[in-house]
C-alpha cells in the first residue's frame, strides 16, 4: 500500500522476511533494491540461500528452494497499481462465470472474487496478495485487443473501484499487449512478484 503512494522500501539490497500468506501461499516481491519474502521458512533458512534485493530473490534456484522440490511456482509478474475512478459502475456482474479459466484461477489464489464483464470480455476483482484489491482481465477474442477493447474494458473496470482507492494488477511482462493496455489506462509499475504454493515434505 505504501508503494502505491510512491513510498518504497530503502534501496539497500536487503531482504525483509515476513510470515506466510493465508491459504498456504507464499511470495517473493521485488522492489527497486529491496525484496520482501513471505514464507513459513525461518529467516535463517531464507538468508542461507543468499537472496538479495537486486534480483536474486526472484532467481529460479531461490524460488525452487522456497517452494520445495514439488511446490507450485507461478510466473514472474510485473506489479502494477492504479486508482479507482468510482461513479456509476460501467460493467454488470456475471454470476454464472464460475467455470471460466480466469475465474477458477482467481478463486484458487484470491478471496472475495467478483466477476464483471460484457461482450468484450470479463474482469475479476478480488482480495489478493496481502489483502490488496486485485484486478485481472481477459478478452473473449484476443484479436479485439487491436481494436482497443482491452483498454476500454480496463477503464470501465476502474469504475468498480471507489474513487481514489488503490487497485493492483499482476501482469506478465511477456504479455506485451496486456502490459501496454494497463499502462495506457494509468497503471504504474511498482515492482515484480512471484506467488508460490510450497510443498516441502
Amino acid at each position: 500500500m505504501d508503494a502505491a503512494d510512491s513510498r518504497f522500501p530503502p534501496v539497500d539490497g536487503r531482504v525483509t522476511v515476513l510470515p506466510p500468506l493465508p491459504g498456504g501461499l507464499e511470495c517473493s516481491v521485488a522492489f527497486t533494491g529491496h525484496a520482501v519474502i513471505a514464507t513459513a521458512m525461518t529467516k535463517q533458512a531464507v538468508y542461507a540461500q543468499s537472496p538479495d534485493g537486486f534480483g536474486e530473490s526472484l532467481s529460479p534456484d531461490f524460488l525452487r528452494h522456497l517452494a520445495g522440490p514439488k511446490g507450485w511456482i507461478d510466473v514472474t509478474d510485473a506489479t502494477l497499481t492504479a486508482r479507482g475512478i468510482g461513479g456509476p459502475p460501467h460493467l454488470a456482474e456475471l454470476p454464472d462465470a464460475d467455470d471460466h479459466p480466469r475465474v477458477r484461477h482467481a478463486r484458487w489464489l484470491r478471496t472475495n472474487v467478483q466477476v464483471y464483464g460484457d461482450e468484450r470480455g470479463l474482469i475479476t476483482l478480488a482480495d489478493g496478495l496481502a489483502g490488496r484489491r486485485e484486478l485481472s482481465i481477459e478478452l473473449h477474442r484476443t484479436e479485439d485487443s487491436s481494436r482497443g477493447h482491452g483498454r476500454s474494458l480496463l477503464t470501465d473496470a476502474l469504475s468498480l473501484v471507489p474513487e481514489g482507492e488503490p487497485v493492483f494488477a499482476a501482469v506478465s511482462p511477456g504479455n506485451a499487449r496486456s502490459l501496454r493496455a494497463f499502462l495506457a489506462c494509468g497503471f504504474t509499475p511498482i515492482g515484480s512478484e512471484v506467488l508460490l504454493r510450497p510443498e516441502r515434505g
Side-chain angles (χ1 to χ4, degrees):
M1 298 303 292
D2 284 346
D5 288 324
S6 298
R7 297 193 302 272
F8 293 95
V11 182
D12 55 11
R14 301 181 68 180
V15 174
T16 298
V17 179
L18 300 174
L21 305 170
L25 288 173
E26 299 188 2
C27 69
S28 181
V29 179
F31 297 101
T32 300
H34 197 95
V36 179
I37 296 167
T39 178
M41 281 188 165
T42 65
K43 291 183 179 180
Q44 291 80 4
V46 172
Y47 294 144
Q49 299 299 309
S50 301
D52 62 36
F54 298 124
E56 283 298 318
S57 65
L58 295 178
S59 70
D61 287 343
F62 178 70
L63 294 175
R64 177 51 62 197
H65 172 71
L66 281 182
K70 295 183 179 180
W72 173 78
I73 303 173
D74 201 3
V75 299
T76 300
D77 283 327
T79 309
L80 312 176
T81 187
R83 299 281 172 174
I85 60 176
H90 295 166
L91 293 171
E93 192 162 5
L94 302 178
D96 56 351
D98 285 350
D99 288 335
H100 191 283
R102 170 72 61 178
V103 178
R104 290 202 304 267
H105 184 71
R107 295 193 190 283
W108 193 58
L109 294 175
R110 306 176 182 115
T111 58
N112 301 321
V113 178
Q114 296 174 292
V115 187
Y116 301 84
D118 56 21
E119 70 282 355
R120 295 168 294 179
L122 60 78
I123 68 104
T124 65
L125 274 177
D127 296 335
L129 178 64
R132 70 188 184 188
R133 184 177 306 204
E134 294 184 1
L135 183 154
S136 68
I137 179 175
E138 185 160 319
L139 296 180
H140 293 317
R141 296 176 297 275
T142 55
E143 62 271 18
D144 286 347
S145 63
S146 62
R147 302 173 184 172
H149 288 193
R151 297 181 185 188
S152 64
L153 187 60
L154 273 175
T155 299
D156 287 347
L158 290 176
S159 71
L160 303 170
V161 180
E163 183 178 4
E165 289 193 9
V167 61
F168 298 82
V171 180
S172 171
N175 189 350
R177 286 184 179 181
S178 180
L179 186 57
R180 288 198 302 266
F182 275 91
L183 295 176
C185 291
F187 280 78
T188 301
I190 57 173
S192 56
E193 63 187 66
V194 175
L195 288 172
L196 309 99
R197 195 178 291 278
E199 185 177 333
R200 301 190 181 100

